[in-house]
Amino acid sequence: MFIGIDHGTTAMRFSGEPGMFKISRETAKEFSIEDLTRICPVDEIEGIALCYSMGDNISSITDIRKVKNRGIISREGAGHHIGGGTKVFDEVAKSKIPAIVIPGLHRGSPTDPRFKAYSHQASPEKIGIAYEVTRVLGDDVVVSDVSSNTVTLLISAGKLVGAFDACIFAPGSLHGALDVDAIRRIDAGECTANEAFQQAGVNFSLPEKERTRSVAMFAAMECAALLLLNTRARVALAGSLAPIIAPEVKTLLGCDVSLFDEWCASNGLARIARDVFRGKAEILGLDVDL
């Protein structure tokens, strides 16, 4: 049995072939490895793939025993730090169950070097999404994960080409890029950059009637931008806002759009665990370091 663990913005999701469950990141602070019995007996687990924060201190899919600082450079930066993800990571690490840590996409990743104009492209759970989507749609895909924030990735010929991170381009409901107003508030000492990022989504910047249309427009724009690099790629949406914005995105792009549910990342991570522990040495162009 193989388990995938998605460290999402608001919740942690756990998937395996017999079932799945999710808990809030606050509840995850009380996690123990025995909680995985909600999927299967712990002694039946052959391997786990999990994520932690930005995953920017590793560029390969790495054995948890080799990872330093849980695979991140620093806990400082964009994001809401609660402690649930830390607890889950540490419980898995001390369980002695074979486990791999998924990297994020960043300047050390084997993506198109032009994307490295920015330090960070995508957090690790997006790799799970990409793996699940390519399983269904094939090796050429643009997928936008749209919820609290928006992150869009391009996979060509089965390899990750690059991505737009949440603080670069399209807003989500809560998070987004820092505009001129945000920079002024930071410079004036009214908030930190991280606080500004967490209030840059459409819920804070637009009237309610304009929010969904705006998220749809910007997500479609990210997809269109990545389609410049692969015109034959199929388009997919994942995340909690995906079914809401899908009709508008489809209209704007003028093509079919496939939908994936909230379990896309954890399901994809479970598949990564299965394939890695059964001998696969590369996932979407990322090396495996066991």
Side-chain angles (χ1 to χ4, degrees):
M1 182 59 55
F2 299 95
I3 304 291
I5 303 177
D6 167 21
H7 184 184
T9 303
T10 59
M12 301 201 67
R13 295 172 180 84
F14 303 77
S15 286
E17 288 181 11
M20 56 196 72
F21 70 94
K22 69 177 177 179
I23 54 177
S24 72
R25 286 174 59 186
E26 184 69 32
T27 301
K29 291 194 292 186
E30 306 301 323
F31 176 83
S32 77
I33 204 69
E34 294 301 320
D35 290 335
L36 295 181
T37 58
R38 295 172 66 174
I39 296 176
C40 69
V42 171
D43 60 6
E44 293 182 8
I45 300 174
E46 301 169 69
I48 295 173
L50 76 161
C51 307
Y52 185 78
S53 188
M54 295 184 187
D56 55 0
N57 201 28
I58 53 174
S59 56
S60 300
I61 295 170
T62 307
D63 188 310
I64 199 168
R65 296 168 296 180
K66 295 183 177 182
V67 169
K68 296 180 180 179
N69 200 34
R70 303 186 188 90
I72 60 171
I73 293 173
S74 170
R75 285 190 65 191
E76 301 304 316
H80 190 194
H81 308 298
I82 295 172
T86 302
K87 176 67 170 176
V88 171
F89 186 101
D90 291 350
E91 287 292 305
V92 171
K94 75 180 186 181
S95 73
K96 304 194 185 310
I97 297 170
I100 48 175
V101 182
I102 309 301
L105 296 182
H106 48 80
R107 284 188 175 135
S109 302
T111 53
D112 186 314
R114 292 172 291 183
F115 284 90
K116 298 174 186 181
Y118 296 107
S119 62
H120 194 71
Q121 297 169 49
S123 54
E125 73 277 3
K126 313 307 180 193
I127 309 303
I129 289 173
Y131 203 58
E132 182 71 1
V133 171
T134 55
R135 180 188 71 83
V136 176
L137 298 182
D139 287 343
D140 297 284
V141 172
V142 170
V143 55
S144 189
D145 183 34
V146 190
S147 54
S148 299
N149 50 56
T150 299
V151 178
T152 307
L153 303 90
L154 170 63
I155 303 94
S156 290
K159 297 187 184 299
L160 289 155
V161 176
F164 294 122
D165 190 38
C167 54
I168 299 301
F169 192 166
S173 59
L174 302 180
H175 310 147
L178 304 188
D179 65 2
V180 171
D181 179 63
I183 293 169
R184 286 172 175 160
R185 288 188 287 115
I186 294 163
D187 285 349
E190 296 174 9
C191 64
T192 67
N194 192 25
E195 288 167 346
F197 167 73
Q198 293 187 62
Q199 296 182 0
V202 296
N203 287 4
F204 300 96
S205 60
L206 291 173
E208 186 172 359
K209 66 178 181 179
E210 298 295 338
R211 292 172 187 171
T212 299
R213 293 179 63 242
S214 180
V215 169
M217 182 189 76
F218 279 106
M221 290 172 71
E222 286 197 345
C223 292
L226 292 175
L227 286 167
L228 289 174
L229 301 180
N230 186 345
T231 56
R232 67 183 181 277
R234 299 177 69 179
V235 177
L237 295 175
S240 60
L241 295 182
I244 301 171
I245 68 169
E248 181 76 3
V249 171
K250 180 178 179 179
T251 297
L252 290 168
L253 293 177
C255 67
D256 289 335
V257 174
S258 298
L259 289 179
F260 290 80
D261 64 21
E262 65 177 303
W263 302 100
C264 185
S266 56
N267 287 340
L269 292 167
R271 293 181 190 281
I272 290 173
R274 178 199 63 191
D275 290 349
V276 165
F277 288 115
R278 288 182 177 174
K280 197 165 185 180
E282 174 264 325
I283 299 289
L284 298 178
L286 301 175
D287 290 336
V288 173
D289 182 11
L290 293 180

